[in-house]
Amino acid sequence: MAEAFAGIPKIEYEGPKSKNPLAFKHYNAEELVEGKTMADHLRFSVAFWHCFRNRCQDPFGAPTRLMPWDDGTESLDNSKNRIPALFEFCEKLGVKYFCFHDRDIAPEGDSLKETNKNLDEVVKVVKDHSEKTGTTLLWGTACLFANPRFMHGAATSPNADVFAYAAAQVAKAMEVTQTLGGQGFTFWGGREGYKSLLNTDMGRELDHLGAFLNMAVDFKKDISFDGPFYIEPKPKEPTKHQYDFDVEACFAFLQKYGLTEHFRFNIEANHATLAGHDFVHELRFAREVGLFGSVDANRGDLMLGWDTDQFPNDVSECTLAMLEVLEAGGFTTGGLNFDCHVHRESFEPVDLFHAHIGGMDTFAKALKIAADIRADGDLANFVKARYASYDGGIGADIESGKADFKSLRKYAEDKGEPAANESGRVEMLENLLNSYL
Ligand code: XLS
Ligand code: NI
Ligand code: NI
């Protein structure tokens, strides 16, 4: 088969001084950072849907992207022909992982059985290439939002048949993920949310979603799939109120339905900002509750209120993210999945390379800076010192549970005014962070 990306060589590391747009300036796969290779730290992944399906049409205009690997039909043959392009791309880029939704890789048939048969056929092609190249599935997922049957949601649809259909689809997608050696399975809420309370029984919908995910856990045990489940929060889009709003809301949901030991978070940068949070806030919360898992590495545009899914290029934002990843002990089964698409006006195949090279270099640079910040320890020491009043005396009594309101009242009455506050030094710390960038 002809190359999909003819004329584009394997992308090599040339160092920060290189002016070659098709070379890495910071990502040097084998370079050690904190004793581990950059490749093992960053575990980059290509999102099949954005790279190989998304043609960049928008509500105002027709598709723009040139995709020489695709004949524009929904045929099974065309689906199979897209697969070598994915592996060629990953190999040239030096990326070892990819992610997909079931419906990205194979077309739906006239019945669920036929749809599953189509999926099996394409999965055979994927498996074959995966075994030959060593490029494997980071996580799989089921598309429970594109087909009109999911117009009211999947697990939260008022139509119980749709719930059943979604369950069948997730079961199959999980099996396929397992067949391909996928390291995890992601649940993004899709249309699990609502537009109007006038037609919605929120309590029942939440219970249905909780039941659905518990059934998924049971099925996972049945088939002995050992990767983690990821839940991917997003506050809105396509519905107005998504139930999986942000990490904090999802954590409460997981607790209520007894799911915390089976799930970790897949945190998407653009979803964080849509929820009114910094990317790093979501990562920190997930880390603090011990459920950090994986990352959808993109960025939004703060001028726009939707999921623009742009490639990451903000070193400062990514540095704070990599600090969280390192503090969490690094990725295990997760990684940095580029859930992003090129801009509509960047329509040529080579633009996919520029986009990924930029994203990879940004995170590589961020990783090195985060490691420097950790090695210096100034930031961590400042934070530690700020809470020193809890390391002994009354603070230690509070943290250990020894204190109660009665003893604290006595303490406060005896002591009078609290010890003088110290400056939070926000600007000084911002300057410190900038000194590393
Ligand atoms: C959509 C989500 C989606 C998930 C996978 O906004 O980011 O792409 O990552 O279903
Ligand atoms: Ni995502
Ligand atoms: Ni998204």
Side-chain angles (χ1 to χ4, degrees):
M1 172 158 298
E3 279 187 308
F5 299 96
I8 299 177
K10 173 137 182 47
I11 309 301
E12 307 286 355
Y13 170 72
E14 291 185 3
K17 294 222 164 69
S18 168
K19 294 224 187 267
N20 176 3
L22 290 178
F24 294 118
K25 321 292 182 298
H26 303 284
Y27 180 62
N28 185 9
E30 296 308 315
E31 186 179 324
L32 295 180
V33 177
E34 295 194 4
K36 199 161 110 179
T37 66
M38 282 196 170
D40 286 344
H41 271 291
L42 299 166
R43 293 169 57 90
F44 292 121
S45 154
V46 164
F48 187 78
W49 56 98
H50 279 313
C51 296
F52 295 94
R53 301 307 310 277
N54 186 342
R55 293 178 164 269
C56 289
Q57 64 273 30
D58 70 14
F60 304 96
T64 58
R65 281 188 63 202
L66 298 177
M67 295 179 163
W69 54 82
D70 193 311
D71 68 14
T73 69
E74 288 301 316
S75 73
L76 190 54
D77 278 346
N78 191 28
S79 294
K80 290 184 189 167
N81 289 340
R82 291 184 194 112
I83 303 303
L86 164 72
F87 286 92
E88 182 192 327
F89 182 65
C90 290
E91 277 210 283
K92 287 186 167 173
L93 205 55
V95 165
K96 284 289 174 205
Y97 302 99
F98 58 94
C99 292
F100 64 73
H101 302 82
D102 49 1
R103 300 300 177 251
D104 305 333
I105 60 165
E108 297 206 42
D110 290 335
S111 66
L112 183 57
K113 278 193 182 150
E114 198 186 312
T115 301
N116 286 346
K117 210 168 132 253
N118 289 347
L119 186 55
D120 286 336
E121 283 217 27
V122 183
V123 164
K124 265 190 234 148
V125 182
V126 176
K127 193 167 164 68
D128 189 43
H129 278 83
S130 177
E131 280 168 2
K132 276 194 201 126
T133 59
T135 303
T136 58
L137 185 60
L138 187 70
W139 47 258
T141 188
C143 175
L144 304 177
F145 46 90
N147 191 293
R149 72 175 66 88
F150 299 119
M151 64 172 70
H152 303 301
T156 63
S157 170
N159 181 345
D161 275 359
V162 173
F163 183 109
Y165 196 101
Q169 203 178 314
V170 167
K172 180 69 185 172
M174 221 189 295
E175 284 170 351
V176 158
T177 298
Q178 188 179 36
T179 302
L180 292 173
Q183 299 192 18
F185 191 86
T186 291
F187 291 85
W188 165 59
R191 292 182 193 274
E192 314 294 24
Y194 69 92
K195 288 251 167 66
S196 170
L197 272 184
L198 296 177
N199 67 7
T200 301
D201 187 331
M202 186 196 277
R204 280 180 99 170
E205 291 201 0
L206 286 168
D207 285 350
H208 295 166
L209 187 56
F212 188 88
L213 296 180
N214 270 293
M215 288 182 209
V217 168
D218 291 342
F219 187 78
K220 176 182 167 197
K221 288 182 193 149
D222 283 349
I223 65 168
S224 309
F225 175 60
D226 56 11
F229 280 168
Y230 300 118
I231 191 161
E232 183 180 326
K234 184 176 184 180
K236 57 186 168 189
E237 194 199 27
T239 74
K240 181 175 171 190
H241 298 279
Q242 297 278 125
Y243 292 131
D244 301 338
F245 191 93
D246 61 2
V247 173
E248 213 165 335
C250 285
F251 184 57
F253 174 88
L254 294 174
Q255 283 180 308
K256 173 165 185 204
Y257 293 100
L259 290 160
T260 44
E261 68 177 283
H262 306 290
F263 277 80
R264 296 180 200 161
F265 283 99
N266 181 39
I267 293 165
E268 178 163 321
N270 203 163
H271 297 182
T273 48
L274 286 179
H277 298 308
D278 289 330
F279 179 25
V280 64
H281 169 90
E282 292 289 82
L283 293 164
R284 173 67 66 92
F285 198 92
R287 172 160 83 76
E288 292 294 356
V289 296
L291 297 184
F292 169 75
S294 201
V295 166
D296 271 4
N298 55 24
R299 72 184 163 100
D301 184 322
L302 291 182
M303 303 289 150
L304 303 172
W306 66 92
D307 201 8
T308 56
D309 286 339
Q310 290 164 244
F311 277 82
N313 66 358
D314 181 335
V315 176
S316 166
E317 182 182 52
C318 295
T319 296
L320 295 175
M322 285 314 299
L323 268 175
E324 291 304 318
V325 173
L326 293 175
E327 290 293 321
F331 291 115
T332 51
T333 53
L336 291 166
N337 174 47
F338 289 116
D339 192 353
C340 348
H341 58 82
V342 287
H343 288 277
R344 193 168 187 274
E345 52 271 54
S346 307
F347 61 92
E348 293 181 351
V350 70
D351 289 308
L352 265 190
F353 280 89
H354 294 147
H356 283 82
I357 290 168
M360 292 164 76
D361 267 343
T362 303
F363 267 98
K365 197 170 175 186
L367 167 65
K368 287 191 274 190
I369 298 170
D372 286 347
I373 292 174
R374 274 157 57 91
D376 285 355
D378 293 349
L379 209 51
N381 289 338
F382 182 90
V383 175
K384 187 160 182 352
R386 191 161 179 244
Y387 293 85
S389 67
Y390 285 87
D391 294 340
I394 193 71
D397 289 350
I398 292 170
E399 283 198 349
S400 67
K402 219 169 125 193
D404 60 15
F405 266 22
K406 278 189 228 147
S407 65
L408 292 174
R409 177 156 62 187
K410 166 123 192 20
Y411 176 86
E413 279 170 1
D414 292 351
K415 170 124 206 205
E417 261 317 291
N421 279 316
E422 287 170 20
S423 168
R425 302 261 185 261
V426 183
E427 292 80 356
M428 184 192 84
L429 295 170
E430 287 171 343
N431 298 347
L432 176 63
L433 175 63
N434 274 352
S435 74
Y436 291 96
L437 297 176

